[in-house]
Amino acid sequence: MASSNLLEKIGDFLECTICLDNYRRPKVLQCLHTFCEECLLKIAPRGTKGVICPTCREETSLEDEGVANLRNNFVFSNLLDLVTSIQKPLDDHPTDVVAEGAQSQYVCTNCETGAQASTRCLNCCEFLCVDCTDAHRRIKAIRHHVMREIEDWLAAGRHIIEADKAEKRSQKTNLCPNHEDDTYVTVYCEACEQSLCQNCAHTDHAKSPHRIVPMTEAAERGRQQIKNVLSECKRKLCVFSTAIEATVQIAKDLQRRSDRAQKDLQQTARDYTMRIHKEQNELMSLLHKTREGKESEMAAHINSLQRAVDILRGMCSLAENALAETCSPAEVLRSKVKLSGEKRVLNQVAIVNVPSDLSALKFERNTNFRFPPDYVLGTISE
């Protein structure tokens, strides 16, 4: 199989150190080391309260669901799928590079329609067709998932293919670039980071700061540097994987808290509206009661004055008739006696002045409006 050396190097740290095979459902321990779920189940069966890391011996506590409840290493899962997808066209067409914009032939792994995949969900590690992509984005619980177009996802790995091709070309052309004949490189200049033949080493690279060493020695140092880079990449992959999962969890918490805050806001608004309407009704009832009391008081004053007016009109009519020329002396004297009696009745009628503030009635708004306990709209004053 014409697989890339560079892909093989990357594939080395995508292998579980327990089963020595590619990760299957990789799970991350608290120490950030990753192993297959099945491998962890063998050393920590269901019911086990903790698992000891085979690499660093740090213990990770387990909940009731055991290993299955550990966090998934989505970075490793996606990288493994990416390497596999790149390696396949290399195996089928070892001399061709995947062209930019080439049409992908991945099938949707989320449904059974066999439709061509258009996107890749980096959280679920699934290929999705157009319909599944739309459904994925509509579901509230997973709308935060990161999805990439297939070609964009593949583009992330094309630089690996290019590096692989460059490495193969260099392996086939171990000739000195400064000579046209078949002079092979045998030494390495560490200062220039360049492979050289013996002639170039004794001429152009003979003096300081050039440092000439045998190719095997330089390669051994290079291997150690690559191991250091690989170790650092593994460490950072774990860190970034944890950071991605933590960010996803924060996004879920944000959505949940936003929904809770919206419900609390709506319920509080309904409670305040009901309390305001209740107080409005109470104030309206007090207003009507106060007005009715004042109207009753004014009606009593009007009735008292009306009785006095009726007596005075009767006395005026009686006096006018007694003073008429046709009235006999006897009628005049009878009218005089009757008027004296009416006058005594009139004097007994109390004429009380109507209070000037009897019509005073208004609503005074509460300018310092605050909700409970001081949520009063205002008061009715006279």
Side-chain angles (χ1 to χ4, degrees):
M1 181 179 293
S3 59
S4 165
N5 291 336
L6 187 55
L7 290 177
E8 290 177 357
K9 293 175 184 178
I10 295 177
D12 288 342
F13 72 89
L14 293 179
E15 293 180 355
C16 174
T17 56
I18 297 178
C19 64
L20 301 180
D21 200 354
N22 289 339
Y23 286 116
R24 296 183 300 275
R25 296 189 299 279
K27 295 287 185 177
V28 183
L29 300 180
Q30 292 177 357
C31 58
L32 301 182
H33 288 123
T34 300
F35 303 96
C36 298
E37 181 178 352
E38 295 180 0
C39 296
L40 290 175
L41 283 172
K42 292 178 181 178
I43 62 176
R46 295 186 182 275
T48 307
K49 299 300 181 181
V51 57
I52 302 298
C53 176
T55 302
C56 66
R57 311 307 296 173
E58 180 179 338
E59 183 176 5
T60 298
S61 59
L62 299 177
E63 298 181 1
D64 295 337
E65 297 180 7
V67 172
N69 199 46
L70 292 173
R71 291 177 297 178
N72 295 319
N73 194 326
F74 292 111
V75 173
F76 277 19
S77 295
N78 280 299
L79 189 57
L80 187 61
D81 287 345
L82 181 62
V83 170
T84 302
S85 66
I86 294 173
Q87 192 172 15
K88 186 177 185 301
L90 282 176
D91 294 340
D92 296 340
H93 307 285
T95 60
D96 296 334
V97 177
V98 178
E100 290 288 340
Q103 184 66 30
S104 64
Q105 297 299 326
Y106 294 94
V107 177
C108 179
T109 58
N110 189 61
C111 63
E112 299 179 354
T113 61
Q116 180 177 330
S118 62
T119 59
R120 166 80 171 179
C121 178
L122 302 186
N123 296 81
C124 301
C125 301
E126 296 279 0
F127 293 105
L128 304 175
C129 61
V130 175
D131 292 338
C132 291
T133 299
D134 293 339
H136 217 66
R137 288 170 174 160
R138 286 197 302 268
I139 299 175
K140 185 177 181 180
I142 57 175
R143 63 175 56 169
H144 61 276
H145 284 195
V146 179
M147 287 185 284
R148 293 286 183 269
E149 297 293 330
I150 293 295
E151 299 307 324
D152 293 339
W153 179 70
L154 286 175
R158 288 199 176 98
H159 70 282
I160 300 177
I161 300 175
E162 297 296 339
D164 174 67
K165 293 303 179 180
E167 183 179 351
K168 287 183 178 180
R169 286 194 295 270
S170 66
Q171 292 174 353
K172 294 180 180 179
T173 57
N174 289 329
L175 301 177
C176 181
N178 299 323
H179 296 84
E180 295 182 357
D181 56 1
D182 293 339
T183 303
Y184 289 89
V185 294
T186 57
V187 294
Y188 185 79
C189 178
E190 292 183 330
C192 300
E193 294 185 341
Q194 182 179 1
S195 299
L196 305 168
C197 66
Q198 290 291 344
N199 293 335
C200 293
H202 293 307
T203 54
D204 299 337
H205 298 262
K207 298 180 180 180
S208 180
H210 299 286
R211 298 187 303 277
I212 304 300
V213 297
M215 289 282 287
T216 55
E217 180 180 342
E220 185 60 32
R221 294 178 184 176
R223 289 190 185 93
Q224 186 58 46
Q225 292 174 354
I226 292 174
K227 289 180 180 179
N228 294 337
V229 171
L230 180 60
S231 176
E232 180 68 12
C233 287
K234 287 182 178 180
R235 186 187 68 81
K236 289 186 176 181
L237 272 173
C238 293
V239 173
F240 284 119
S241 175
T242 304
I244 290 175
E245 193 161 341
T247 304
V248 169
Q249 186 60 45
I250 291 173
K252 291 180 179 178
D253 293 342
L254 174 61
Q255 181 65 41
R256 185 179 66 255
R257 290 172 182 171
S258 175
D259 293 342
R260 179 72 264 174
Q262 180 177 335
K263 292 179 180 178
D264 291 344
L265 174 59
Q266 292 172 341
Q267 184 60 46
T268 301
R270 286 193 293 268
D271 292 343
Y272 287 163
T273 300
M274 291 177 61
R275 301 186 74 165
I276 290 174
H277 286 166
K278 180 181 178 182
E279 187 178 357
Q280 177 188 3
N281 294 333
E282 292 174 352
L283 290 173
M284 290 292 289
S285 177
L286 177 60
L287 175 63
H288 295 158
K289 184 177 180 180
T290 304
R291 185 194 67 186
E292 290 172 358
K294 289 179 176 291
E295 288 176 345
S296 297
E297 187 177 351
M298 285 189 290
H301 281 289
I302 293 173
N303 290 336
S304 177
L305 295 174
Q306 187 63 47
R307 287 197 301 271
V309 169
D310 293 341
I311 293 173
L312 287 172
R313 285 178 178 172
M315 290 176 66
C316 288
S317 178
L318 183 59
E320 289 175 352
N321 291 335
L323 294 176
E325 295 179 355
T326 59
C327 188
S328 65
E331 291 175 341
V332 170
L333 293 174
R334 284 195 299 270
S335 296
K336 172 183 168 282
V337 174
K338 192 174 182 179
L339 286 171
S340 297
E342 294 289 343
K343 185 177 181 180
R344 286 193 299 271
V345 175
L346 180 62
N347 291 335
Q348 294 176 358
V349 177
I351 302 177
V352 182
N353 292 328
V354 179
S356 60
D357 61 345
L358 189 60
S359 63
L361 183 62
K362 64 179 179 179
F363 168 72
E364 292 184 355
R365 179 180 178 182
N366 182 7
T367 56
N368 296 324
F369 182 83
R370 290 181 297 176
F371 280 107
D374 302 323
Y375 67 97
V376 182
L377 295 175
T379 57
I380 302 297
S381 62
E382 302 182 27

